[in-house]
Structure formats: C-alpha cells, structure tokens
Amino acid sequence: MYQLAPNIELLFTEAGAYEDRVRAAAAVGFTAVEIWGPTGVDAPAKPKDLPALKAALQETGVQLTAQLSEPRTQFMIPPWDHSAFYQKLDEGVAIAQELGCPRIVVGSGTGFGGWKRQVQLDKLVEIYRKAIAQIDGSGITLVLEAVNGRVDHPGSLLDRTAEAAYIARGVDSPFFGILYDLYHMTVEGEDEATELAGAGDTVKYVQIADAPGRGEPGTGAIDWANALRILRASGYDGPIGLEYYPTTESAASTALIRDLAAQA
C-alpha cells in the first residue's frame, strides 16, 4: 500500500487556508500532504502561515512529505550567481525541520544556449555537491526533479529521467536523489518501465498526475494499475505526491488512485 500525499496547493482548496486544507485531507483519511514553496516567495499571492500550518500538522498527525526549494533558481543563465540559492537553502532546511518535512525539491532551471548540454549537467553535479555539503547533518534529503519542456516548462534543462539519475549518481550522497514525476515524463514520451529499470535506485520521491491534461488519475490515458505495478517492481515504496489539477471536488478526485494504491 502506497502512502498518498495530496498537494494542498491544488487539492482541498475548498477548505480555505493551508492549515485548513491539512485538516480537510486528514478528515477523509489522508496521512500525508505536500506543498510547493513553504513561504510563497515564488507565489506571493499564496502566503503561508507557517505556525498555523505546523499546528495543523501536529494536531492531525499528518506528515508533510515534500516542499520546494525557494526561490526558483536559474543555474545556467549568466551571470551565474548562485548565492541566493545557497542562502535560501539554509532557510528552507530550517523550515523543513520545523515542519517535520524530510525532503526539499530542487530543479535545474532553463538551459543555456552557450554551453554544451553535458557541460551544464556536470555543472549541476558541482552545484548540488556543494549544496549537500552545506546542509550536511540536517537530515534533509534534496530530490531533483526533471520536468517536461513540451507543455509545462519550455526550455527546462532537465527533462529526462536518465539525466536526473546521472546527476544524482554524480552527487553520490544518501541525502540526494531524484523526484520521478510520472506526468512530466509521460508528456516527454518516456516509457516508465524502461526509465525506472535504469534509474530506479536513485528515486527518492514520486509525484503523479494523469496525461494528457494533468488532471486526477482516470482523466487521461495512463494505465494506473500498471503504472503502480511498475513503480513497485522498481523498488520504490515511499510516498507518492498527488500533484494534479482536480476536475471535480478534491476528495472525490482521489477515489481511483486511493483504491489502486491500497492494492499496489
């Protein structure tokens, strides 16, 4: 049985404030949730009351499984000043520890036309080795997400599972791995079984949405029973983030994937 973590940026918004979304998720049986940026610095229209969020997590016993690194960083675009990333990383780690969140999601930003792709991938290895050294002893794991460049993130440097795994192996730390997002990689045309056969050992978090459309499982073309079987066969047994745009009421939108996850 997989633990499912609704993304409360997108789900249970009917409840209002983030802390009330936690309570709404708990009320229908979820034991975990995930969020995007913990302070909303990249989305100032969605500020978060962190003390209230912490109180709701503690009150309900719900686990916060993942949060994003803030701010979103362009690593490859000149002038290559990464000081804000490293400074905010410490702040993000402190927030994650306060909220009991074990993972911070990081990315690649867009690619730079002036360098070969391999050079940029190797630069990411250097950047994340430094990041892991900086937060050593924190207990927080960084998970690197590859995203699709065809629909949602045009120009993203990292849009392949194998390349995310290459970086994870280059960083070579038990506190660094990849976030495998089945929606993004399906949009990119990848085959789940093939990619996880080669990169499954680097996967430390998973997110899902159906494709096409990025709605809840059952609204697109993915065979979800088979997708979960492949995921299980790859060795992954951690939580799965539900990062989709619901086409119906939040709790109802989770019915299919909850049923399948209980059997997986």
Side-chain angles (χ1 to χ4, degrees):
M1 179 175 181
Y2 278 112
Q3 181 187 46
L4 300 178
N7 186 303
I8 56 172
E9 309 285 348
L10 306 176
L11 292 168
F12 297 101
T13 58
E14 303 95 335
Y18 287 96
E19 56 270 22
D20 293 323
R21 299 178 196 184
V22 171
R23 295 184 179 98
V28 295
F30 285 101
T31 60
V33 297
E34 63 174 26
I35 58 173
W36 287 343
T39 69
V41 67
D42 286 321
K46 293 185 175 183
K48 295 180 177 70
D49 182 337
L50 293 179
L53 182 58
K54 178 182 178 181
L57 293 168
Q58 292 180 332
E59 169 195 322
T60 58
V62 167
Q63 167 79 54
L64 182 62
T65 58
Q67 66 184 49
L68 295 183
S69 174
E70 295 177 320
R72 294 190 180 185
T73 304
Q74 291 292 358
F75 293 111
M76 299 303 147
I77 305 301
W80 304 297
D81 179 4
H82 305 146
S83 56
F85 166 72
Y86 292 114
Q87 175 188 345
K88 291 292 184 179
L89 180 60
D90 283 335
E91 295 178 23
V93 164
I95 292 170
Q97 291 172 325
E98 185 70 12
L99 297 178
C101 178
R103 301 172 191 83
I104 293 178
V105 180
V106 294
S108 67
T110 56
F112 175 52
W115 284 344
K116 290 184 178 180
R117 188 176 187 86
Q118 187 61 51
V119 171
Q120 296 180 71
L121 296 177
D122 289 337
K123 287 289 184 183
L124 282 179
V125 172
E126 293 177 14
I127 288 165
Y128 284 122
R129 279 179 179 167
K130 181 178 177 181
I132 285 295
Q134 178 176 310
I135 66 171
D136 182 48
S138 68
I140 302 299
T141 296
L142 302 184
V143 289
L144 177 64
E145 183 178 19
V147 296
N148 82 79
R150 299 186 182 186
V151 176
D152 299 277
H153 300 278
S156 176
L157 170 61
L158 201 60
D159 59 4
R160 293 289 182 271
T161 300
E163 291 182 338
Y166 170 84
I167 294 165
R169 292 188 176 108
V171 174
D172 191 24
S173 166
F175 292 98
F176 191 90
I178 73 171
L179 187 173
Y180 179 74
D181 188 308
L182 183 59
Y183 162 76
H184 284 303
M185 297 301 94
T186 298
V187 170
E188 279 296 331
E190 288 191 352
D191 177 73
E192 179 190 6
T194 300
E195 297 304 322
L196 292 182
D201 61 306
T202 67
V203 174
K204 292 188 179 291
Y205 195 55
V206 169
Q207 288 177 328
I208 61 172
D210 217 329
R214 206 172 184 178
E216 65 267 23
T219 58
I222 294 175
D223 179 344
W224 285 99
N226 188 53
L228 293 179
R229 280 195 295 269
I230 293 169
L231 186 63
R232 179 69 74 185
S234 76
Y236 184 76
D237 61 1
I240 298 176
L242 305 181
E243 191 190 36
Y244 62 76
Y245 293 87
T247 65
T248 186
E249 185 270 335
S250 292
S253 76
T254 68
L256 174 64
I257 194 62
R258 292 181 77 176
D259 181 58
L260 293 174
Q263 304 171 47

